[in-house]
């Protein structure tokens, strides 16, 4: 069965202190790995889609990478406005659902 | 381009009542999915619709049902509400078509409906 595990559950950083979030997954036939950002009381906001091992995507201070077993979301020199919950999800073959991890709560202090 | 619109944003219902939530997808998106989000379980898949047909259903009791209309708008219904149904219900739309080996382009989520059952 498709499964996603995210670590750490929570991460506290000082402004400017770079770090990485991990998403380990098992899926039958990857059709896409997705990173979302979610602010309290709001729906998930799309960040990146990755399709194959070795692929990388960047957006401002965020960079997502993908291997055959895991994905990393690297945050470079974070700012307080990067504080949010970051969700990872995968979709396998067939007309199936997105399977989400439980997320990493990131808090960036000034 | 308008995003995914969910109404209402907030609902308070009493145990035993029923509720209907509405979702208007992004124009041109034919696939609509529903997710339940709770602090303990995270995002759990409810159902997925494409061209008015339910394509997949999650592990939820029969009290949870949904439908999709010809204009791709979708509704979900929960009957005989229980306290445990309190959650953020999220709708997401996608350009996705029935999988034929193509990439899946992901979902755009709405802001959700916060349902509180008292």
């Amino acid at each position: 069965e498709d499964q996603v595990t995210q670590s750490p559950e929570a991460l506290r950083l000082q402004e400017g202190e770079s770090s990485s979030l991990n998403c380990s997954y098992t899926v039958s036939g990857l059709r896409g790995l997705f990173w979302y950002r979610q602010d309290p009381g709001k729906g998930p906001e799309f960040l990146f889609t990755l399709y194959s091992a070795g692929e990388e995507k960047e957006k401002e201070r965020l960079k997502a990478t993908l291997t055959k077993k895991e994905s990393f979301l690297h945050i470079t020199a974070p700012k307080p406005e990067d504080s949010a919950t970051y969700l990872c999800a995968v979709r396998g073959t067939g007309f199936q659902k997105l399977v989400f991890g439980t997320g990493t709560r990131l808090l960036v202090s000034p | 381009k308008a995003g995914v619109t969910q109404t209402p944003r907030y609902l308070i219902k009493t145990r035993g009542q029923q509720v209907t939530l509405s979702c208007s997808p992004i124009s041109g998106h034919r696939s609509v999915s529903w997710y339940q989000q709770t602090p303990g379980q995270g995002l759990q898949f409810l159902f997925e619709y494409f061209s008015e047909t339910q394509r997949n259903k999650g592990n939820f009791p029969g009290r949870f049902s949904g439908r999709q209309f010809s204009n791709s708008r979708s509704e979900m219904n929960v009957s005989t509400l229980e306290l445990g149904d309190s959650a953020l219900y999220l709708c997401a739309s996608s350009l996705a078509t029935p999988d034929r080996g193509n990439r899946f382009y992901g979902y755009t989520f709405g802001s959700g409906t916060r349902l509180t059952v008292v």
Side-chain angles (χ1 to χ4, degrees):
Chain A
E1 184 174 317
D2 301 347
Q3 197 166 10
V4 176
T5 304
Q6 290 188 248
S7 61
E9 282 189 22
L11 181 62
R12 188 164 192 157
L13 299 173
Q14 290 294 118
E15 185 171 2
E17 179 186 2
S18 301
S19 188
S20 297
L21 312 182
N22 178 263
C23 170
S24 298
Y25 67 92
T26 55
V27 65
S28 54
L30 183 68
R31 286 286 179 257
L33 183 142
F34 306 90
W35 282 98
Y36 287 90
R37 168 195 170 125
Q38 187 174 27
D39 294 298
K42 297 188 177 180
E45 175 189 344
F46 172 78
L47 292 173
F48 303 109
T49 307
L50 301 167
Y51 293 106
S52 54
E55 191 173 358
E56 299 182 351
K57 295 269 180 77
E58 280 189 76
K59 179 181 177 181
E60 296 180 358
R61 295 177 292 282
L62 300 177
K63 179 180 177 180
T65 61
L66 181 64
T67 71
K68 288 187 178 180
K69 294 183 179 180
E70 58 190 352
S71 176
F72 290 93
L73 184 65
H74 306 280
I75 303 177
T76 302
K79 298 182 178 182
E81 53 262 43
D82 295 322
S83 298
T85 295
Y86 290 85
L87 297 165
C88 173
V90 296
R91 177 141 171 158
T93 54
F95 212 49
Q96 297 176 8
K97 58 192 176 187
L98 272 182
V99 176
F100 279 88
T102 52
T104 294
R105 294 189 312 278
L106 175 66
L107 177 62
V108 182
S109 303
Chain B
K1 188 174 181 182
V4 178
T5 303
Q6 291 189 246
T7 56
R9 286 282 284 125
Y10 302 94
L11 265 179
I12 300 177
K13 290 286 188 178
T14 304
R15 270 183 303 175
Q17 288 187 312
Q18 76 166 18
V19 66
T20 299
L21 312 182
S22 179
C23 172
S24 294
I26 290 173
S27 178
H29 285 194
R30 296 167 64 191
S31 173
V32 173
S33 295
W34 289 88
Y35 288 78
Q36 181 196 65
Q37 187 175 31
T38 58
Q41 299 295 318
L43 277 125
Q44 299 291 314
F45 172 74
L46 281 157
F47 10 73
E48 181 169 20
Y49 288 90
F50 180 81
S51 293
E52 302 179 67
T53 301
Q54 187 180 93
R55 296 287 182 171
N56 200 5
K57 189 177 191 300
N59 295 324
F60 280 82
R63 301 184 296 107
F64 292 80
S65 63
R67 58 178 176 169
Q68 186 181 32
F69 302 96
S70 59
N71 61 359
S72 293
R73 192 177 69 84
S74 179
E75 289 181 347
M76 69 163 281
N77 183 276
V78 187
S79 62
T80 318
L81 284 165
E82 301 177 358
L83 294 179
D85 297 333
S86 295
L88 181 66
Y89 289 88
L90 292 160
C91 168
S93 75
S94 172
L95 280 170
T97 59
D99 188 88
R100 293 195 180 94
N102 295 323
R103 288 178 169 182
F104 177 71
Y105 293 98
Y107 290 127
T108 301
F109 282 85
S111 295
T113 294
R114 171 72 64 184
L115 172 64
T116 302
V117 183
V118 297

